[in-house]
Amino acid sequence: MSAEFDTFIFVPAYNVEKTLAGVLSKIPECVWRRSQVLVIDDGSWDGTRSSYEKYLEGLQECIADSQARSADLQVNFVSRLRYFRFEKNSGYGAVVKKGLSDGLASGAKFIACLHGDGQYPADLLDQFLDHLENFRTADGHGKVEKLALLQGSRHANAGGAKAGRMPLHKRMGGAFLTGLENLVFRQKLTDRHSGFILYSAEFLRTVDIQKLSPSFDIDLELISVADARGFAMGELPIPTVYADEKSNLNVVTYGLRCIRQVVRRAFAAS
């Protein structure tokens, strides 16, 4: 990775033709200046690829327009944006593994997961990167540690998830799982099930990424690994955004997988 890049952002994209361009357009310019962005299309059957191509065409038109604001930066936008497609739907775990692996291969210091469905705040990436980069914490023995990962929490502010139209069954299920996890995990968090996570490459290099879960619980598995190994973690509040989109997550199987993670962690700690 060039010295001007220290951040790698991967965008899981499955049937997100209506939201992908909006997500990419909300990434702050200061983040584009330091980042490479990889859109990972997980075998979408809708117009996700066309949406990406139209967004790219729009950037190229801005380059051609000498009156466009920050036209010189738009050139960088195009050169820093890539697209990868799984020809068959491979699952969320495969997408995350691809994003993390490519991020590490790029030489980036920080790797961020930004979902293409618009549920997570691309416009807050600059704040999260600043916090991840600069926050330091003591480990109880006088040693100062950096954060291994920083997660966006939809429950840090009371009532935020309900106001953001998160379905009741997801609020209740998430509260139950997080409460159970907080009984077992060393570090207590308010939301372990948000997919808006930024990682330190230093932490990720200690993980065998290809052995991680192939499903949606891969995020919790990474949190569990960090907790078990004594890495410091953090969270910042994010708004909850639910519209009328169809979720690809089966809440029952996801919940069972999360409970399995909790059991593993409990036995490992005993």
Side-chain angles (χ1 to χ4, degrees), residues 24-84:
L24 295 174
S25 67
K26 289 179 181 177
I27 298 175
E29 287 192 4
C30 61
V31 175
W32 277 107
R33 291 179 185 274
R34 61 186 294 181
S35 303
Q36 289 185 341
V37 179
L38 172 65
V39 175
I40 306 176
D41 183 345
D42 191 19
S44 297
W45 47 261
D46 71 349
T48 293
R49 183 163 194 160
S50 296
S51 178
Y52 170 82
E53 291 172 346
K54 288 179 181 178
Y55 176 77
L56 196 61
E57 289 173 4
L59 291 182
Q60 292 168 336
E61 289 175 3
C62 287
I63 295 170
D65 182 1
S66 60
Q67 301 301 315
R69 183 177 66 87
S70 302
D72 58 332
L73 187 58
Q74 299 288 352
V75 176
N76 292 332
F77 279 18
V78 173
S79 66
R80 297 175 187 195
L81 184 60
R82 294 191 295 117
Y83 174 91
F84 173 86

Side-chain angles (χ1 to χ4, degrees), residues 147-241:
L147 292 178
L149 62 86
L150 180 63
Q151 185 172 37
S153 172
R154 300 158 296 181
H155 303 293
N157 296 327
K162 181 179 181 179
R165 298 178 58 192
M166 180 184 288
L168 177 61
H169 69 280
K170 288 193 174 183
R171 298 202 308 271
M172 294 179 64
F176 169 76
L177 289 173
T178 298
L180 185 64
E181 291 148 6
N182 279 338
L183 291 174
V184 175
F185 289 13
R186 181 174 65 89
Q187 298 180 69
K188 314 306 178 187
L189 298 173
T190 62
D191 184 1
R192 296 181 192 271
H193 303 282
S194 157
F196 189 61
I197 310 178
L198 283 71
Y199 300 92
S200 161
E202 185 176 353
F203 159 64
L204 290 176
R205 282 193 290 269
T206 71
V207 180
D208 189 341
I209 291 172
Q210 297 309 316
K211 289 185 177 180
L212 294 173
S213 171
S215 190
F216 281 97
D217 61 316
I218 188 172
D219 295 333
L220 179 63
E221 187 173 16
L222 283 160
I223 292 172
S224 179
V225 169
D227 185 82
R229 297 180 181 176
F231 285 93
M233 298 181 291
E235 62 180 1
L236 291 177
I238 59 172
T240 302
V241 179

